[in-house]
Amino acid sequence: MSTIAIEHLTKDYGHGRGVFDVNIKIDKGECYGFLGPNGAGKTTTIRHLMGFSKPQEGRTSILERDSWQNSAQLQNIIGYLPGEVTLPSGLSGTAFLHMMEQMRGVKNRDYLQMLLARFELDPNISIKQMSLGVKRKLAIVTAFMHDPDILILDEPTSGLDPVMQETFIEFILEEKRRGKTIFLSSHIFHEVDAVCDRIAIIRDGKIVSEFQSDELKQKHDRIYRIAFPDEDSYNAFITKPFTFTSKNKRKLRARVQIPADQVGELIASLKGFHITDFVEIPFTLEDYFMSFYDTGHHFEGLPSRRSERK
């Protein structure tokens, strides 16, 4: 049984806006990353999953219960952090947390105090006077205060400073070790790469790739930067039948992209050349993500739903 299931979800707002045939299944204890730029369809998907919107086609469910039909019940047991935080300005942070405790039947105040200390949040001020970062911390504490087993997080570190972003990542890793099921939507590569077991890339409302995060490090082309001491050597090398991602005649160096199983051929081709530098350029989640926004290029070696549709 999948803890979270999104099946053929479609909501077409017209003019190419919305989500189209989105399919996601998340197992218990898994952290799933939903990666895409603003406007790609991440928040629309989450709003349907939370039961705020009714699907035009398809279905979303949590614990095998339809999100739309059981929205009130499910929202009470989920830790939800929206991308845009809206809080009642007439309350203090303390009053707001007390109200949420009563609504959720929270009885473990020790856990709440731990969260306040962890995220360095003093709630004893008016929400109206809080900065964006403090409001985001208050929203984080509110999402976690009832210690839910399922977390749905939409751009969770938006508005946090870099130190607090790292604190949040460390906390999510701890929640993973406790067996929490986490759906994390973000456009921050480091955040997704650091905590997620599986990752989906969404573009224009469609999932174009879904993969295990460790596959990214194992199954991709290698990129090497090679430098030469003279122009003759450089000119001779760039005529080789390799894929060059860049050529810099002024610095006499070039970058070669090559499948992992062909690295030996690259090494052999350098026999007889004098070289001054040979460096592997680390491949990142950002590199792979950006390949879907460069229509002339796509990295091979990982499952791509875009290529399946062709």
Side-chain angles (χ1 to χ4, degrees):
M1 174 183 94
S2 296
T3 301
I4 295 173
I6 301 171
E7 303 167 273
H8 303 290
L9 175 63
T10 295
K11 178 62 75 73
D12 188 349
Y13 295 111
H15 306 288
R17 296 178 299 112
V19 292
F20 308 95
D21 197 31
V22 170
N23 292 277
I24 295 172
K25 292 188 182 297
I26 306 173
D27 295 330
K28 179 177 172 55
E30 184 177 25
C31 183
Y32 190 94
F34 202 36
L35 182 63
N38 293 332
K42 302 189 305 297
T43 297
T44 296
T45 301
I46 287 178
R47 287 185 60 80
H48 284 81
L49 186 58
M50 289 297 300
F52 300 147
S53 298
K54 185 178 181 179
Q56 186 175 340
E57 296 178 22
R59 180 176 184 265
T60 64
S61 61
I62 297 173
L63 298 173
E64 296 191 320
R65 285 174 275 182
D66 184 276
S67 300
W68 176 253
Q69 296 174 2
N70 302 278
S71 58
Q73 181 187 25
L74 290 172
Q75 289 168 20
N76 214 32
I77 63 173
I78 293 167
Y80 169 57
L81 182 59
E84 294 186 8
V85 176
T86 302
L87 300 168
S89 59
L91 297 178
S92 68
T94 300
F96 176 71
L97 289 173
H98 182 64
M99 179 183 73
M100 296 304 297
E101 280 183 306
Q102 292 181 319
M103 289 177 60
R104 289 174 170 167
V106 174
K107 298 177 182 177
N108 187 353
R109 290 196 60 85
D110 290 340
Y111 191 73
L112 173 59
Q113 292 303 315
M114 180 277 292
L115 291 171
L116 292 172
R118 185 70 175 269
F119 290 100
E120 300 177 10
L121 174 63
D122 178 6
N124 295 313
I125 58 174
S126 168
I127 290 175
K128 188 175 182 179
Q129 296 176 321
M130 291 181 177
S131 67
L132 177 62
V134 174
K135 288 179 180 178
R136 172 60 62 172
K137 290 195 287 185
L138 178 58
I140 289 172
V141 170
T142 303
F144 287 88
M145 64 188 297
H146 53 307
D147 200 12
D149 291 328
I150 300 170
L151 302 166
I152 298 177
L153 313 173
D154 191 4
E155 302 287 355
T157 62
S158 175
L160 296 182
D161 62 51
V163 173
M164 197 52 60
Q165 287 179 4
E166 290 302 314
T167 298
F168 181 84
I169 287 172
E170 291 170 4
F171 182 67
I172 291 298
L173 290 172
E174 292 174 10
E175 294 293 270
K176 275 182 60 177
R177 288 191 286 270
R178 295 179 64 206
K180 301 292 181 75
T181 304
I182 305 168
F183 184 42
L184 188 152
S185 166
S186 181
H187 66 273
I188 300 175
F189 300 109
H190 168 63
E191 182 173 275
V192 173
D193 199 26
V195 303
C196 295
D197 304 304
R198 267 193 310 140
I199 300 169
I201 295 174
I202 185 169
R203 176 184 177 181
D204 299 330
K206 300 176 183 178
I207 294 181
V208 293
S209 184
E210 184 182 56
F211 51 92
Q212 297 286 340
S213 59
D214 57 1
E215 288 182 18
L216 191 66
K217 301 176 179 66
Q218 299 170 5
K219 298 182 180 179
H220 62 75
D221 291 355
R222 303 289 195 261
I223 298 177
Y224 294 93
R225 187 185 67 210
I226 307 167
F228 300 87
D230 57 76
E231 192 170 321
D232 288 342
S233 297
Y234 168 80
N235 288 334
F237 180 72
I238 62 173
T239 64
K240 298 284 185 180
F242 296 117
T243 299
F244 290 91
T245 60
S246 70
K247 298 175 183 178
N248 190 324
K249 187 172 183 178
R250 183 175 63 84
K251 293 186 177 181
L252 300 177
R253 68 189 188 194
R255 292 194 184 195
V256 176
Q257 179 185 323
I258 192 166
D261 59 359
Q262 296 178 23
V263 173
E265 295 178 24
L266 174 63
I267 301 298
S269 74
L270 290 170
K271 186 176 181 180
F273 281 93
H274 294 292
I275 63 174
T276 57
D277 197 20
F278 184 88
V279 178
E280 181 176 359
I281 306 300
F283 184 81
T284 66
L285 176 60
E286 181 175 1
D287 294 324
Y288 183 65
F289 173 85
M290 290 306 299
S291 73
F292 290 96
Y293 289 82
D294 176 2
T295 56
H297 182 73
H298 172 59
F299 285 95
E300 301 296 337
L302 288 171
S304 168
R305 298 189 182 183
R306 181 178 67 174
S307 60
E308 288 172 5
R309 294 197 301 271
K310 292 182 177 180

